[in-house]
Amino acid sequence: MHAFNYHRPASSKDAVSLSSKNAEGRYLAGGQSLVQAMKLRLSSPTDLIDLGTIKDLAGIKVSGSTVEIGAMTRHADVAASAEVKKAIPALAALAAMIGDRQVRHMGTIGGSLANNDPAADYPAAALGLGATITTNKRKIEADKFFTGLYETALEPGELITSVSFPAPKRAAYMKFKNPASRFAIVGVFVADFSGKVRVGVTGAGPSAFRQADMEKALSTKFAPESVANMKVKADGLNNDLHASPEYRAHIVTVMAKRAVEAALK
């Protein structure tokens, strides 16, 4: 690990100011990805700006049919939240599936979305629910946020402050996980907004994406058989030691069917 300067700002404004003064600095949220990358010397920021003590970046608020989650809210807090379980139980269930206990008690929703790991769980929920990511500068629709492998629409120094999720009529998330890391080899989040259905997929491609064909079929009839025999194209899907593109394409269909079954229960 390379040497770096460590900062612990007391507010979001201070954090953004520090970032503007240190072009090669990085925000530190839960540290579940960045610290590991630094240990492997895959990342060498000159400065770490620790967001851990900024109170206004954490917390959960439910207003009407919207769940707003602060960027520094831990996965374990989302999973345990009675408000999230009532408004969007599928989101709480997804948070409970992330990594292991240590990861869930350190990792944050803002850090996960900003990192945009191709096998992370939250991007599927963000796309499946049509979330809005709020930063210190603007609001970004989930459909425009994920731009590629570990890439997002965030500009240098831009800080995620919260994420808002509209509550659907019903939803569910199912994933085929790596037994060691618990990352999603394929994960599918299905959400029904009274006839308008969104399907977010993670793990299968370089970045999370929506499955338009499934959305169209499920909007016509929200039932497992609507997607059970659907053929997903393997072009552009990930190919690694865990699964081939063709296998991932098949698993997208399997997980989508299971997610619809779960949402109907």
Side-chain angles (χ1 to χ4, degrees):
M1 183 182 290
H2 295 279
F4 58 87
N5 300 309
Y6 176 78
H7 308 274
R8 205 169 193 182
S11 67
S12 300
K13 183 179 179 179
D14 291 342
V16 173
S17 177
L18 282 166
S19 178
S20 67
K21 296 174 182 176
N22 300 282
E24 297 300 318
R26 292 284 302 276
Y27 292 125
L28 177 66
Q32 300 305 286
S33 298
L34 178 57
V35 172
Q36 309 312 314
M38 291 173 65
K39 286 181 177 180
L40 294 171
R41 298 200 171 202
L42 297 174
S43 180
S44 54
T46 58
D47 297 76
L48 280 188
I49 303 167
D50 191 345
L51 307 174
T53 58
I54 303 178
K55 294 182 178 180
D56 62 356
L57 287 181
I60 298 169
K61 294 188 295 184
V62 177
S63 177
S65 59
T66 301
V67 175
E68 182 179 350
I69 303 176
M72 284 298 292
T73 305
R74 312 290 175 177
H75 309 320
D77 294 329
V78 177
S81 170
E83 291 182 303
V84 178
K85 288 180 180 179
K86 181 178 180 181
I88 314 178
L91 185 59
L94 176 148
M97 295 183 200
I98 297 174
D100 51 30
R101 290 183 180 180
Q102 291 88 340
V103 168
R104 290 192 293 274
H105 280 82
M106 287 298 295
T108 65
I109 186 170
S112 175
L113 294 176
N115 188 53
N116 192 23
D117 189 297
D121 297 292
Y122 270 127
L127 289 174
L129 291 168
T132 298
I133 294 92
T134 300
T135 76
N136 63 305
K137 295 182 177 181
R138 54 183 169 148
K139 295 182 182 294
I140 309 172
E141 297 176 7
D143 289 338
K144 299 177 181 179
F145 184 79
F146 306 104
T147 59
L149 181 66
Y150 292 105
E151 294 182 351
T152 71
L154 292 173
E155 298 173 353
E158 191 170 9
L159 176 67
I160 296 177
T161 56
S162 65
V163 187
S164 297
F165 297 91
K169 175 182 178 182
R170 51 196 171 188
Y173 176 66
M174 298 296 291
K175 75 172 176 178
F176 184 64
K177 64 185 179 182
N178 182 306
S181 68
R182 296 179 177 86
F183 272 115
I185 293 176
V186 170
V188 179
F189 195 105
V190 174
D192 178 12
F193 291 88
S194 298
K196 183 179 180 180
V197 177
R198 295 176 65 99
V199 179
V201 181
T202 191
S207 183
F209 60 90
R210 289 174 61 185
Q211 224 299 330
D213 292 340
M214 289 183 173
E215 292 179 344
K216 183 178 180 180
L218 290 170
S219 293
T220 301
K221 181 181 180 181
F222 194 82
E225 57 266 26
S226 295
V227 295
N229 298 311
M230 189 168 287
K231 301 296 183 182
V232 176
K233 294 181 180 180
D235 296 349
L237 298 188
N238 293 336
N239 183 16
D240 54 33
L241 60 88
H242 303 297
S244 67
E246 292 76 18
Y247 187 66
R248 279 188 163 90
H250 171 67
I251 295 300
V252 169
T253 299
V254 174
M255 293 298 108
K257 176 177 177 290
R258 292 181 182 178
V260 173
E261 291 172 341
L264 288 169
K265 290 182 179 179

